[in-house]
Amino acid sequence: MAKRDYYEVLGVPKTATLDEIKKAYKKLAKQYHPDLNPDSKTAEDKFKEVNEAYETLSDENMRARYDQFGHNDPGSGGFGGGGGGFDAGQFGGFGDIFESFFGGGFGGQTAANPTGPARGSDLRVDISIAFEEAAKGLEREIKIVRMENCTSCNGSGAAPGTQAKRCPTCGGSGKVRMAQNTPFGQFQTVRTCNTCKGEGTIVERPCPTCSGSGRVRRERTLKVNIPAGVETGSRLRMSGEGESGHKGGPPGDLYIYISVLPHKFFKRQEDDVLYELSISITKAALGCEVEVPTLEGDAKLTIPEGTQSGTTFRMRGRGFPKLRGRGKGDQKVTVKVVVPTRLTEEQKQILAQLDHSLSVPQEEKKGFFNKVFK
Ligand SMILES: [Zn+2]
Ligand SMILES: [Zn+2]
């Protein structure tokens, strides 16, 4: 299947701002989240597609590169979920890709030295947390599987007590030069050495623990501190918790992508919590004091007399902590006045009496007719 355009995946124009991209991502991530679509392979695929598109378009550098090269970026491949083995780590993180590419290394030779130290691959974990957890922050244990340096051989791949030898074919450079005769003359080509697969060294007695690869797959449990105020699309980075580097290179990073699950009755808008409060027409007319649920338990809210449906009250400091900066958002309570249905005869009579004594001011009536019949 051909890869879809990232902008198309998120349904945003190429000129979209970061905010628009975030908004589109949040909506789609929620829609296709695996927790909300159990057993749906389609949703799972969509979720992955959406995340991948967001990953690229939310990062200024990666987006610029995507705009330039599309899916055929010659320097991509650093961000892998593993499985790529040694090669995946060759270019290291995004910063490295960027530099090595523009550093002029593009062409006949690989920019990074293939036999030298290379940074480990970055890893990615998706976790979902409850609405309240996003407000309070939490510590969560996560399980990851990553390639680590084999401790038996310290990553060399050679059996303990033995050493990897310099490759006799390429003399340790990992590359061989070949002269090729063509009708246009002789060409020199540089190829990866077949004997050592570009490693520059040969292991004669492979380490029994890692079968000579120098790396082993390990499951690790890590504690992650998720700060209060995160939202869907927030990305945490745990420095150095990615895969081990190659030949003494630094490890990659672990990225944790957060999805916040929807709440039964709260909604979120930036750092504010939105809540809809239903009250009766009598309470709206007479005013009342009500208990309103907030992120920190019930709190009193005074509804003044004569409150109209759709009025919003602000409960200061009852929202989400601001992820950057201090303070908290508010809780916005929007009143919905509920017109009663199924009245008893007695209630109907009381309302009828009330109707006699109430009259809508003439001014408002005029305004209404002007609007409608002009
Ligand atoms: Zn080993
Ligand atoms: Zn070699």
Side-chain angles (χ1 to χ4, degrees):
M1 199 180 76
K3 220 170 172 180
R4 279 171 75 206
D5 178 69
Y6 285 154
Y7 290 99
E8 194 185 305
V9 170
L10 294 182
V12 294
K14 281 209 161 40
T15 51
T17 62
L18 184 59
D19 260 2
E20 285 166 342
I21 288 168
K22 267 190 192 165
K23 222 174 252 172
Y25 166 70
K26 269 188 217 171
K27 207 182 120 203
L28 292 168
K30 209 177 268 180
Q31 187 179 341
Y32 297 121
H33 199 280
D35 288 2
L36 301 174
N37 301 278
D39 309 324
S40 166
K41 180 87 180 89
T42 321
E44 192 191 320
D45 289 345
K46 287 261 184 203
F47 185 69
K48 279 186 189 147
E49 194 184 24
V50 164
N51 274 306
E52 192 187 310
Y54 177 70
E55 209 165 83
T56 297
L57 297 187
S58 62
D59 182 290
E60 205 183 315
N61 285 343
M62 288 173 72
R63 185 179 176 186
R65 289 185 61 79
Y66 178 72
D67 287 345
Q68 194 179 353
F69 301 111
H71 289 303
N72 304 313
D73 191 334
S76 71
F79 201 96
F86 282 90
D87 298 336
Q90 185 159 313
F91 284 103
F94 309 132
D96 295 346
I97 294 170
F98 210 63
E99 278 153 28
S100 62
F101 182 71
F102 287 101
F106 190 53
Q109 234 179 335
T110 324
N113 178 3
T115 62
R119 185 176 176 274
S121 294
D122 291 327
L123 292 178
R124 173 197 175 128
V125 173
D126 289 279
I127 62 170
S128 31
I129 60 173
F131 194 87
E132 290 90 344
E133 287 176 324
K136 291 193 177 82
L138 73 151
E139 193 182 79
R140 168 79 65 93
E141 282 194 343
I142 54 166
K143 276 207 173 92
I144 57 163
V145 176
R146 67 184 175 200
M147 297 303 287
E148 292 185 0
N149 275 338
C150 171
T151 45
S152 308
C153 63
N154 284 323
S156 74
T162 70
Q163 270 187 336
K165 286 209 171 97
R166 180 182 290 187
C167 171
T169 311
C170 62
S173 71
K175 279 173 275 185
V176 283
R177 266 173 208 284
M178 283 168 56
Q180 225 176 358
N181 289 309
T182 76
F184 309 104
Q186 202 186 55
F187 284 90
Q188 288 270 337
T189 51
V190 177
R191 291 232 185 107
T192 302
C193 172
N194 274 333
T195 313
C196 64
K197 305 275 186 298
E199 290 294 308
T201 49
I202 291 181
V203 171
E204 284 176 330
R205 280 184 53 211
C207 162
T209 312
C210 62
S211 317
S213 72
R215 309 223 283 180
V216 282
R217 189 169 285 277
R218 281 264 154 75
E219 189 182 86
R220 294 278 177 198
T221 303
L222 299 174
K223 269 191 185 145
V224 193
N225 272 308
I226 299 165
V230 291
E231 54 186 329
T232 294
S234 294
R235 187 172 81 170
L236 306 176
R237 190 174 70 124
M238 290 180 85
S239 188
E241 294 290 0
E243 301 207 312
S244 290
H246 184 38
K247 293 198 174 172
D253 296 332
L254 173 67
Y255 287 91
I256 297 148
Y257 282 69
I258 309 239
S259 291
V260 180
L261 298 172
H263 194 271
K264 250 193 292 177
F265 44 77
F266 288 138
K267 283 202 167 63
R268 180 169 178 176
Q269 183 183 59
E270 308 285 321
D271 295 321
D272 294 335
V273 172
L274 308 184
Y275 178 70
E276 192 182 78
L277 174 72
S278 296
I279 56 172
S280 66
I281 46 172
T282 45
K283 284 210 165 67
L286 300 172
C288 62
E289 197 165 75
V290 283
E291 292 268 315
V292 174
T294 74
L295 288 170
E296 286 145 30
D298 288 355
K300 279 203 170 68
L301 177 69
T302 305
I303 304 291
E305 62 175 75
T307 292
Q308 304 294 321
S309 198
T311 308
T312 299
F313 295 98
R314 193 179 279 267
M315 300 170 85
R316 295 214 177 267
R318 294 279 185 177
F320 282 83
K322 294 190 193 299
L323 203 52
R324 287 176 189 82
R326 287 159 170 233
K328 280 182 169 188
D330 303 326
Q331 175 158 326
K332 289 176 175 169
V333 180
T334 302
V335 171
K336 186 179 155 200
V337 177
V338 181
V339 176
T341 51
R342 289 188 199 170
L343 292 169
T344 64
E345 275 311 309
E346 192 196 351
Q347 286 169 327
K348 278 183 192 171
Q349 275 175 21
I350 296 169
L351 280 181
Q353 275 173 29
L354 185 65
D355 186 49
H356 275 294
S357 65
L358 285 177
S359 66
V360 177
Q362 284 303 309
E363 284 303 316
E364 274 183 34
K365 269 188 192 165
K366 257 189 222 155
F368 175 74
F369 281 108
N370 282 346
K371 258 182 226 153
V372 177
F373 298 108
K374 213 168 176 179

